[in-house]
Amino acid sequence: MQLRTLGANGPQVSAQGLGCMGMSISYGEPNDAESIATIHRALDLGVNLIVTSDAYGAGVNEQLVGRALQGRRDRAMVATKFGNLGLAGGNPAGLSGGHPDYVPQACEKSLKCLGVDVIDIYGLHRVDPAVPIEDTVGAMKKLVEQGKVRYLALSEAGPQTIRRAHKVHPIAAVETEYSLWSRDVEADVLPTCRELGIAFMAYAPLGRGFLTATMKSLDALLPKDRRREHPRFNADNIKRNAELLAPLEKIAAEKKCTPAQVALAWVHAQGADIFPIPGTKRRAFLEQNIAAFDLKLDAEAVNALSNAFAAGVTAGTRYPEKQMKALGI
Ligand SMILES: NC(=O)c1ccc[n+]([C@@H]2O[C@H](COP(=O)([O-])OP(=O)(O)OC[C@H]3O[C@@H](n4cnc5c(N)ncnc54)[C@H](OP(=O)(O)O)[C@@H]3O)[C@@H](O)[C@H]2O)c1
């Protein structure tokens, strides 16, 4: 896998990363042994960008990543995040997620869970509306000065917040949802990142699995799968959205590859400053997703897909209503 500089002055990371969230929460049954084998295979195939958060099972996913990295730490660029307290299970000290006093506490916990001395890329998972971004990033900057983290990132931040944060300390990457069916960032977040020399880490590039064309009805999801709470996956919307998949499946058939690979190739075609981080807990899917990096789509195919998934065609919002309020702040 090709290595690229993350943002103007960031570290060398693989052009595609590995998202580890689904190894511990949200999607189906965890399988730690296969998940660890998947992280090892990713490193062996040159994928060094390993992405987690303290919110994924309140440290459980970071611990899993930490176990996988034992003896392999120097081969990985670990990206973790803090401040998504709703998902992380709250904060006992009563501080909000972006409070400057909370930032070092969260960092210490992540260092411990991961079993590392330094976090390569440390991100604010959700912007805290109660705290000026300058204060949160100011506290993150101190962690860089103390050698506890190397580079900074933001997740789901709005363009003005990105600009203000970048003035306090260079932001290496913004991590936000981006895929054929989630293209809101094209309006302002992506142009802002490009103007400032900030890389874009595209999370859920497979549409949380939908763009693999294997989830065309609710029956494809286990009863406790968190996607059932997401409006795009509700019984009516998933059926409507499945009607969008025909062009993706057609191009996959022509190219003799899978819809998942075409969906990833479309994200790569949007620019070398975009680093998709597909998630999987299985080596077989990982290998397929890595192979997608070499699948080059011609302009005609890219345009056909962009037109088929034009902004606004997807039925349902990206998150349940309450969580939507935390996006783009
Ligand atoms: N910053 C944020 O707020 C935020 C939010 C969400 C996610 N993320 C990050 O982004 C990463 C990726 O997003 P995501 O995992 O939500 O969604 P995703 O990458 O779009 O899709 C993951 C789903 O697709 C399935 N899958 C993966 N490769 C496949 C293939 N080749 N064929 C068939 N199915 C395949 C996975 O199955 P299996 O699980 O069975 O392998 C899983 O159900 C996460 O792991 C997380 O690190 C960040």
Side-chain angles (χ1 to χ4, degrees), residues 16 26 42 46 48 55 62 92 139 143 177 183 194 264 282 292:
Q16 188 167 294
S26 298
N48 70 351
E62 287 183 328
L143 297 173
E177 184 167 356
R183 296 176 56 193
R194 287 184 162 150
L264 283 174
R282 301 160 207 255

Side-chain angles (χ1 to χ4, degrees), residues 19 27 126 155 175 206 208 227 279-282 288-289:
Y27 307 152
R126 289 291 180 271
S155 172
E175 179 184 326
L206 297 170
R208 298 180 183 270
R227 285 170 287 206
T280 181
K281 46 178 137 16
R282 301 160 207 255
Q288 206 188 98
N289 298 344

Side-chain angles (χ1 to χ4, degrees), residues 103 149 163 236 301 327:
V103 176
V149 320
R163 285 182 193 284
D236 290 339
L327 310 180

